[in-house]
Amino acid sequence: ANTSTDYNYVEGCLTRIFHDFKLVDKNKIKFSIGEASRALLRRTPEIMLIKNENNPDLAFLLNLAKEKGVPVKIYDLADYECAVIIK
Protein backbone atom coordinates (compact mmCIF):
# COMPACT_ATOMS: atom_id res chain seq x y z
CA ALA A 1 0.00 0.00 0.00
CA ASN A 2 1.14 3.49 -0.74
CA THR A 3 1.27 5.05 2.72
CA SER A 4 1.52 8.64 1.49
CA THR A 5 -1.73 8.20 -0.47
CA ASP A 6 -3.41 6.53 2.55
CA TYR A 7 -2.21 9.38 4.73
CA ASN A 8 -3.60 11.98 2.31
CA TYR A 9 -6.92 10.13 2.15
CA VAL A 10 -7.29 10.08 5.94
CA GLU A 11 -5.94 13.64 6.21
CA GLY A 12 -8.61 14.68 3.68
CA CYS A 13 -11.28 13.05 5.85
CA LEU A 14 -9.93 14.84 8.91
CA THR A 15 -9.98 18.18 7.05
CA ARG A 16 -13.59 17.60 5.88
CA ILE A 17 -14.76 16.84 9.43
CA PHE A 18 -12.83 19.86 10.70
CA HIS A 19 -14.66 22.14 8.24
CA ASP A 20 -18.09 20.44 8.26
CA PHE A 21 -18.34 20.68 12.04
CA LYS A 22 -16.53 24.03 12.35
CA LEU A 23 -13.89 22.74 14.73
CA VAL A 24 -10.87 24.70 15.89
CA ASP A 25 -8.93 21.80 17.46
CA LYS A 26 -8.11 18.61 15.52
CA ASN A 27 -7.59 16.86 18.86
CA LYS A 28 -11.38 16.94 19.35
CA ILE A 29 -11.78 14.24 16.66
CA LYS A 30 -11.28 10.67 17.86
CA PHE A 31 -11.10 8.07 15.08
CA SER A 32 -11.64 4.30 15.37
CA ILE A 33 -13.89 2.01 17.37
CA GLY A 34 -11.39 1.91 20.27
CA GLU A 35 -11.01 5.69 20.55
CA ALA A 36 -14.76 6.23 20.14
CA SER A 37 -15.48 3.63 22.85
CA ARG A 38 -13.07 5.33 25.23
CA ALA A 39 -14.61 8.75 24.56
CA LEU A 40 -18.18 7.46 25.00
CA LEU A 41 -17.32 5.68 28.26
CA ARG A 42 -15.45 8.62 29.80
CA ARG A 43 -17.50 11.58 28.58
CA THR A 44 -20.45 12.61 26.43
CA PRO A 45 -19.21 13.52 22.93
CA GLU A 46 -20.98 16.09 20.76
CA ILE A 47 -21.65 13.61 17.95
CA MET A 48 -20.69 10.16 16.72
CA LEU A 49 -19.98 9.69 13.02
CA ILE A 50 -20.34 6.24 11.52
CA LYS A 51 -19.70 4.83 8.07
CA ASN A 52 -22.35 2.07 8.16
CA GLU A 53 -25.12 1.70 10.75
CA ASN A 54 -25.45 -2.01 9.91
CA ASN A 55 -21.88 -2.83 10.91
CA PRO A 56 -22.19 -5.34 13.79
CA ASP A 57 -18.89 -4.06 15.24
CA LEU A 58 -20.64 -0.77 16.03
CA ALA A 59 -23.59 -2.26 17.97
CA PHE A 60 -21.97 -1.58 21.37
CA LEU A 61 -21.12 2.01 20.40
CA LEU A 62 -24.57 2.70 18.97
CA ASN A 63 -26.18 1.47 22.20
CA LEU A 64 -23.80 3.56 24.30
CA ALA A 65 -24.48 6.66 22.18
CA LYS A 66 -28.23 6.10 22.54
CA GLU A 67 -27.94 5.70 26.33
CA LYS A 68 -25.93 8.91 26.60
CA GLY A 69 -28.05 10.88 24.14
CA VAL A 70 -25.20 11.37 21.67
CA PRO A 71 -26.46 12.04 18.14
CA VAL A 72 -25.25 9.64 15.44
CA LYS A 73 -24.71 10.67 11.83
CA ILE A 74 -23.81 8.60 8.77
CA TYR A 75 -20.62 10.13 7.36
CA ASP A 76 -17.89 9.12 4.91
CA LEU A 77 -14.95 8.35 7.19
CA ALA A 78 -12.39 7.09 4.69
CA ASP A 79 -10.85 3.92 6.19
CA TYR A 80 -12.45 4.34 9.63
CA GLU A 81 -15.71 2.77 10.76
CA CYS A 82 -16.49 5.53 13.22
CA ALA A 83 -15.30 8.69 14.91
CA VAL A 84 -16.53 10.91 17.70
CA ILE A 85 -16.19 14.64 18.16
CA ILE A 86 -15.62 15.48 21.78
CA LYS A 87 -16.77 18.70 23.42
Side-chain angles (χ1 to χ4, degrees):
N2 182 342
T3 53
S4 66
T5 303
D6 294 344
Y7 175 79
N8 290 338
Y9 186 59
V10 171
E11 192 66 19
C13 179
L14 184 68
T15 302
R16 258 188 314 106
I17 292 171
F18 199 68
H19 291 293
D20 288 352
F21 293 92
K22 297 169 179 51
L23 302 176
V24 290
D25 182 0
K26 286 185 180 179
N27 294 318
K28 299 282 185 187
I29 305 168
K30 303 298 179 192
F31 284 105
S32 81
I33 291 173
E35 287 292 320
S37 298
R38 201 169 294 114
L40 278 161
L41 288 167
R42 292 184 179 166
R43 53 181 87 190
T44 302
E46 262 181 59
I47 191 167
M48 183 165 84
L49 307 174
I50 61 171
K51 188 165 25 178
N52 176 0
E53 65 188 329
N54 298 315
N55 180 342
D57 294 337
L58 298 178
F60 168 74
L61 287 178
L62 291 170
N63 284 333
L64 202 52
K66 187 177 181 180
E67 280 176 22
K68 291 190 147 210
V70 175
V72 175
K73 178 179 174 146
I74 305 290
Y75 194 88
D76 177 14
L77 290 164
D79 291 337
Y80 293 100
E81 292 304 314
C82 68
V84 294
I85 299 173
I86 57 174
K87 294 177 180 173

